[in-house]
Amino acid sequence: MSLLFSNPEFIRNARIQLRSRRLLAGGVISAVASITTWESVMHADIDFRFFGLRGAGAVFALCLGAQICIALIGGGICCLLSVQREKELNTFDYQRVTRLTSFELAIGKLFGAPIATYVGVLFLMPVALIAAAKGHIPALLVLEVYVLMLIGCVTYHAFALMISVLLGRSGTVLAILFFLAIVLLSAQRNLYIRWRIQSLSPFYVMDLLNGYAYRMMDRVGFPIWPDGFFDKHVAHWIVFSLIHVSLTTWFLIAVRRNLKRDPSIYEVYSPLQAFLFSLYLSVLMLGFFPWSTIFVRGTVQFVDVITAATPNSIEQSLLEAAVLLFGALGLTLLRSRERARQRVRELGERAAGWLAAIWPTPYLVAAVAALSGAVILLIGKYRDAGSEWNLHLALYEAVFLCVWLSRDTLYLQWMGVRRGKRTLVAAVLYLTIFYVSLGVLFGSLNLFNQPRGAAYTALLLPMPVFGMEPSLWSQAPRLWIGALFFQAASALIFAGLQRHRLQEFLGRPPARAAG
């Protein structure tokens, strides 16, 4: 605690935001809102309920919901603007030369930037605690909801601070909209249906209140089931706390790494850190997967049906989920033109050879291999595969995923080291147009539903591979293997183009370098 309250950056933010007039205004507004809410709910003509609670309990639930919104959304936006505002005011360079370490700056900004929202939460505490006491809500439940709320909000604040550090001098509005989208998406219960884990949003504490209210009425509300980590029951408050603390640590690592660096050579993580972070997320994805009770929802003749998943469908669904994970890993490992030029100046030929030209595929290959191997071992352990399991098809899909991601990442890396403005943004835009256009074209030609046609589409698109049944593979195995080799050849072409650019940084063309 002494590290926080004696932190100059924290003190600076507190002095700026907690001025007497602001505190007085916030206190008056909170008092008026508290009194109005209490009188409106306690003297309502109807039986008002909020998350299953009524009377004083409903007042507590309303105050808690308002406190979550203030701390989560308001505090997140404050963190999102903390570094961005300094960049716009051209005062960011002063922080880069301060005597404070990057970690001290990060801690000061993490808890200092949203301090006004924390004070707003405290202003609502008196009426919330009085309502909890009047509503006979257990003290341990009140303590639990506030502790989990605080832990969850700090994680979102750390994420917003990381975005603020990595963001340029523009794009603030888009960053705020992106943060709000993440907040809303993570609060959706449907996001967690396919996993044996409950919500990780701070709004989860409202479900705790709802469950308590329905238990008091001997009714069934939102069930509070234990989470399942590799089919072992774990209390959700433990999972919630550990995941949020670990994610906060990962986000602070990125903030600390880049807070004092020149913006032209920002790297979210070092290659090893990014690789370990992807493995950490892979363990979470595999650990909370319902291995023993997995079912699949589908439609047969316009009727929803639920059937037991086959080992092949489990493997394909996990690899599809891994696309987003490893795609983010590839984007994280991309080097900017300035970073690549700096490496060439420091390392010479070693930073412009073929090993540098295939960057960042080594880490992608290792990550995909680790996940694919784990999936195959876990399916063998938890599912009775038998004749339904096609190991060769599973290996093919894993290799195809690896080669396809490598091809697209090498394309993005090659575009990133080219001369021009926003080349990486343009590359992502071109890639999106490429996939959407071909998807519409092949879909209109009904190629995805034809055995040979689907194999030909795999030359350019990966989608047919992840939905492929063993029967589809057996009808045209050579075409599918040919599609894999075509993807690999495309990846090598982009690697050669990237090497050509790196050789230009040496001041000579590749042919002379080879000689």
Side-chain angles (χ1 to χ4, degrees):
M1 296 298 291
S2 60
L3 174 64
L4 176 62
F5 293 113
S6 62
N7 188 298
E9 181 64 19
F10 175 80
I11 296 173
R12 183 180 73 89
N13 281 279
R15 286 176 177 174
I16 293 173
Q17 299 184 46
L18 302 183
R19 295 176 180 175
S20 56
R21 291 185 178 180
R22 292 184 179 181
L23 291 176
L24 179 61
V28 170
I29 293 173
S30 300
V32 172
S34 300
I35 295 173
T36 302
T37 303
W38 181 274
E39 292 297 325
S40 300
V41 175
M42 298 300 291
H43 300 92
D45 295 333
I46 60 174
D47 184 20
F48 177 78
R49 293 176 182 269
F50 191 68
F51 279 86
L53 297 170
R54 62 183 178 180
V59 175
F60 173 71
L62 284 169
C63 291
L64 180 61
Q67 288 172 317
I68 295 173
C69 292
I70 292 172
L72 177 59
I73 300 177
I77 293 176
C78 289
C79 289
L80 198 59
L81 299 176
S82 60
V83 179
Q84 178 68 10
R85 187 181 296 112
E86 293 176 359
K87 292 180 179 179
E88 292 176 351
L89 297 175
N90 293 322
T91 60
F92 180 65
D93 289 337
Y94 292 105
Q95 305 233 348
R96 293 177 54 200
V97 298
T98 182
R99 292 183 179 180
L100 293 177
T101 64
S102 298
F103 179 74
E104 291 173 333
L105 276 176
I107 293 296
K109 290 184 181 298
L110 177 62
F111 293 99
I115 190 171
T117 62
Y118 290 142
V119 173
V121 170
L122 291 177
F123 281 150
L124 294 177
M125 286 299 291
V127 67
L129 295 179
I130 292 173
K134 292 284 187 180
H136 305 290
I137 298 176
L140 286 179
L141 178 60
V142 175
L143 178 63
E144 180 183 5
V145 297
Y146 277 112
V147 170
L148 294 181
M149 182 193 80
L150 177 62
I151 293 174
C153 288
V154 170
T155 301
Y156 283 81
H157 294 171
F159 175 68
L161 183 61
M162 180 184 70
I163 295 176
S164 182
V165 171
L166 300 174
L167 201 63
R169 296 180 182 271
S170 59
T172 304
V173 175
L174 291 177
I176 293 176
L177 293 176
F178 173 72
F179 176 76
L180 293 177
I182 293 295
V183 170
L184 294 176
L185 180 63
S186 63
Q188 300 298 316
R189 294 187 184 92
N190 292 336
L191 184 65
Y192 307 93
I193 286 179
R194 64 182 301 186
W195 313 101
R196 291 193 60 185
I197 186 174
Q198 297 176 63
S199 174
L200 293 176
S201 168
F203 287 104
Y204 160 76
V205 300
M206 303 301 295
D207 289 343
L208 290 178
L209 292 183
N210 188 75
Y212 165 76
Y214 276 80
R215 287 196 302 272
M216 293 299 100
M217 294 184 292
D218 294 328
R219 294 170 60 186
V220 179
F222 291 99
I224 307 298
W225 293 312
D227 297 335
F229 190 71
F230 290 110
D231 281 349
K232 304 294 183 182
H233 288 177
V234 186
H236 183 62
W237 70 268
I238 298 177
V239 173
F240 187 97
S241 303
L242 291 178
I243 289 180
H244 276 281
V245 170
S246 58
L247 286 177
T248 300
T249 303
W250 280 109
F251 296 147
L252 284 178
I253 288 174
V255 173
R256 177 183 176 275
R257 176 176 174 81
N258 295 283
L259 198 53
K260 286 195 171 187
R261 299 182 66 162
D262 189 291
S264 63
I265 56 172
Y266 274 166
E267 285 182 335
V268 183
Y269 295 108
S270 69
L272 181 59
Q273 289 172 348
F275 176 70
L276 293 177
F277 189 31
S278 69
L279 291 185
Y280 161 78
L281 296 178
S282 299
V283 170
L284 293 183
M285 182 177 69
L286 296 178
F288 291 107
F289 191 79
W291 292 101
S292 299
T293 57
I294 180 64
F295 293 90
V296 175
R297 180 182 297 273
T299 303
V300 177
Q301 294 181 351
F302 306 102
V303 178
D304 287 340
V305 296
I306 298 179
T307 57
T310 63
N312 281 329
S313 63
I314 293 174
E315 184 253 349
Q316 289 172 358
S317 65
L318 286 172
L319 289 185
E320 289 173 2
V323 169
L324 181 61
L325 172 61
F326 295 134
L329 172 63
L331 290 174
T332 303
L333 292 174
L334 293 178
R335 290 172 178 154
S336 64
R337 178 179 174 87
E338 290 300 321
R339 178 60 176 159
R341 188 194 298 272
Q342 183 186 47
R343 282 179 49 82
V344 171
R345 285 199 301 263
E346 294 174 355
L347 302 177
E349 183 66 36
R350 284 193 301 161
W354 279 106
L355 186 60
I358 62 173
W359 179 264
T361 55
Y363 283 98
L364 277 176
V365 171
V368 173
L371 178 66
S372 303
V375 168
I376 292 173
L377 291 176
L378 290 170
I379 288 178
K381 177 180 179 180
Y382 289 104
R383 308 294 291 188
D384 184 14
S387 59
E388 295 179 343
W389 178 238
N390 190 325
L391 180 60
H392 296 91
L393 178 58
L395 292 175
Y396 172 83
E397 290 172 336
V399 174
F400 193 96
L401 171 65
C402 179
V403 175
W404 166 61
L405 285 176
S406 298
R407 184 201 69 175
D408 284 0
T409 307
L410 287 171
Y411 160 72
L412 294 175
Q413 180 61 80
W414 165 61
M415 289 289 291
V417 298
R418 295 182 64 192
R419 184 182 292 108
K421 293 183 178 180
R422 302 183 183 274
T423 54
L424 185 57
V425 175
V428 173
L429 179 61
Y430 297 155
L431 199 61
T432 303
I433 295 174
F434 172 78
Y435 281 128
V436 171
S437 302
L438 288 181
V440 172
L441 175 62
F442 293 157
S444 62
L445 296 176
N446 198 30
L447 294 179
F448 294 125
N449 297 322
Q450 303 174 15
R452 298 180 66 86
Y456 282 119
T457 62
L459 293 170
L460 301 173
L461 299 178
M463 284 80 81
V465 174
F466 299 117
M468 184 167 51
E469 295 295 331
S471 58
L472 197 63
W473 161 266
S474 61
Q475 294 183 38
R478 293 184 179 180
L479 290 179
W480 290 107
I481 295 175
L484 176 63
F485 279 102
F486 182 84
Q487 296 277 352
S490 303
L492 289 176
I493 291 174
F494 289 123
L497 293 172
Q498 182 182 179
R499 180 174 179 269
H500 180 82
R501 290 293 176 182
L502 295 176
Q503 289 287 328
E504 289 181 352
F505 294 154
L506 289 174
R508 59 180 184 272
R512 291 181 56 186

